[in-house]
Amino acid sequence: MTLQPAVGARRADRPGFLLDLVTGAETDLASVQRLAEGAAVSLAGAAGVALDAAATLTRAGNPPVTAGSATRAYNIASSEDRYSDGPMAQAAASAAPVQVTGGSGSQRWERYRRRLTDAGYGVALAVPLELDSRSSCALVFLGPVGFDFTPELVGEAAWFAGVAAQSMKLAIEVRSVRSAGDNLKAVLESRTSIDVACGVIMAQNRCSYTEAFGKLAGVSRQRNLKVRSVAENVLKALPNGSPVTRFEPPALA
């Protein structure tokens, strides 16, 4: 069933709370793992009982990334992708918390409920993280048999998801910037190798840059190699070996 957070449960002004999904997390999986572990600890404190949590992040053009605070929590979350069922997908689609209990008579979650009880859980609460149009993420909190997520706990879970969403968006943005920087560096280094090789060919053959590049391109086609690889081979053949090429990004003020 779809739930609404308790009134006043979103305490966005709670001081001192920061979910760091960036520091030391070099991959999406590392951030999702940290998210799942932080979620379990956060809600367990409010609930007064041990809870597990799992999260799934989906980014356009990439397979879903799932992690859990415990192996069985990970298995429950990853099973949703295999069986195309479960509350996490509905929570992400409806932008609202969804709860499934092991003893409910509803037929909708029958297969999921069976996996839930087989794993030793009695209840699951899924909450969405609002990211952007190209990314989606959902958390699922898993409680023991006999436990119930009260409206207050649903509110706590929704509040945590709000904080986590901002943290995950920051992690994705930082990772995208790093990736763009790495790609730019590779492009510039490739361009440098080609330019230096063209200079060598120009000096040896007394030709223009266009003619030198044409020679590199011709060898590239003949040998089925990238132009950069041909250029690097030219530089390695120099008497003193290939010159060192470096790209240092400008310092930011």
Side-chain angles (χ1 to χ4, degrees), residues 21 31 43-44 90 190:
L21 302 180
S31 288
L43 205 63
Q90 183 182 336
S190 175

Side-chain angles (χ1 to χ4, degrees), residues 21 32 35 56-59 92 95 128-138 161-173:
L21 302 180
V32 175
L35 170 62
T56 295
L57 171 67
T58 302
R59 299 177 64 185
L129 276 66
E130 298 179 11
L131 300 180
D132 56 50
S133 60
R134 294 177 56 83
S135 306
S136 65
C137 187
V163 173
Q166 299 304 313
S167 303
M168 184 59 74
K169 284 192 286 189
L170 176 60
I172 291 173
E173 182 177 350

Side-chain angles (χ1 to χ4, degrees), residues 2-213:
T2 301
L3 304 171
Q4 293 298 323
V7 175
R10 290 182 182 271
R11 287 175 284 279
D13 59 343
R14 185 180 299 179
F17 189 92
L18 175 65
L19 186 64
D20 185 1
L21 302 180
V22 177
T23 306
E26 300 298 327
T27 64
D28 285 347
L29 178 58
S31 288
V32 175
Q33 181 67 51
R34 187 172 295 182
L35 170 62
E37 292 170 353
V41 171
S42 177
L43 205 63
V49 298
L51 299 174
D52 290 333
T56 295
L57 171 67
T58 302
R59 299 177 64 185
N62 297 286
V65 176
T66 299
S69 63
T71 300
R72 58 177 184 160
Y74 164 80
N75 291 337
I76 288 291
S78 61
S79 72
E80 287 201 28
D81 185 51
R82 291 198 303 272
Y83 297 104
S84 300
D85 65 357
M88 296 174 75
Q90 183 182 336
S94 64
V98 177
Q99 185 171 185
V100 177
T101 57
S104 172
S106 170
Q107 297 298 308
R108 170 156 193 185
W109 307 109
E110 184 176 355
R111 290 191 305 171
Y112 180 85
R113 191 182 303 112
R114 190 178 305 120
R115 299 197 302 273
L116 195 67
T117 54
D118 287 347
Y121 296 115
V123 61
L125 172 66
V127 291
L129 276 66
E130 298 179 11
L131 300 180
D132 56 50
S133 60
R134 294 177 56 83
S135 306
S136 65
C137 187
L139 271 167
V140 63
F141 296 92
L142 302 160
V145 175
F147 179 77
D148 182 45
F149 287 103
T150 64
E152 290 74 22
L153 285 177
V154 173
E156 284 287 329
W159 174 84
F160 181 89
V163 173
Q166 299 304 313
S167 303
M168 184 59 74
K169 284 192 286 189
L170 176 60
I172 291 173
E173 182 177 350
V174 168
R175 205 161 288 125
S176 297
V177 169
R178 287 175 179 168
S179 177
D182 290 343
N183 291 338
L184 176 60
K185 181 178 179 181
V187 168
L188 291 175
E189 288 179 343
S190 175
R191 186 74 250 181
T192 301
S193 297
I194 293 171
D195 285 345
V196 174
C198 283
V200 172
I201 295 172
M202 290 166 64
Q204 292 175 343
N205 296 273
R206 297 175 182 252
C207 62
S208 68
Y209 180 92
T210 300
E211 291 171 325
F213 185 84

